[in-house]
Amino acid sequence: MKRIVVWVMAMLLAFPALAKVSFEAQIPVEVEAENSVKAKDKAMQEAQRQGFLDVANQLTSAENVESLKSLSDDEILHFVQSVSVADEKAGGTKYKA
């Protein structure tokens, strides 16, 4: 089953004009780090990972989603087409969106 999921996702990436498939996830984030810049970087990574897993959860079984959790942040970026941020607030050591 894992191979099927990977194949389907690979096909969607290989033929985006033919697939015309789009999924969205709205992920609220609130992160604290050394400073607001590092907090924002960490929040974006967390949100992209969570968004990817939320969409994967709509497309495949929980077992397959569990195996996708082992992907690195860089690998997940290959599946993220765009990101938009709403209600962004940063200051001191915190970032929220």
Side-chain angles (χ1 to χ4, degrees):
M1 187 61 140
K2 182 178 178 183
R3 289 183 186 177
I4 292 172
V5 171
V6 172
W7 182 82
V8 168
M9 289 184 168
M11 295 310 294
L12 289 173
L13 288 173
F15 303 105
L18 297 175
K20 294 186 183 180
V21 176
S22 176
F23 296 92
E24 293 182 15
Q26 295 182 8
I27 310 297
V29 290
E30 189 168 351
V31 176
E32 191 167 349
E34 258 179 70
N35 57 54
S36 61
V37 174
K38 289 183 179 182
K40 180 178 181 176
D41 290 344
K42 184 177 177 184
M44 293 299 284
Q45 282 184 332
E46 287 179 13
Q48 289 175 3
R49 173 173 290 279
Q50 188 58 51
F52 169 74
L53 293 173
D54 285 0
V55 168
N57 215 10
Q58 297 173 38
L59 299 172
T60 189
S61 69
E63 178 184 308
N64 288 333
V65 172
E66 195 61 37
S67 68
L68 293 172
K69 289 181 180 179
S70 66
L71 293 175
S72 72
D73 291 333
D74 288 336
E75 291 171 319
I76 287 175
L77 282 178
H78 292 288
F79 296 99
V80 177
Q81 185 175 9
S82 66
V83 175
S84 62
V85 179
D87 301 322
E88 182 177 47
K89 295 178 184 169
T93 60
K94 296 181 180 180
Y95 177 84
K96 182 178 179 179

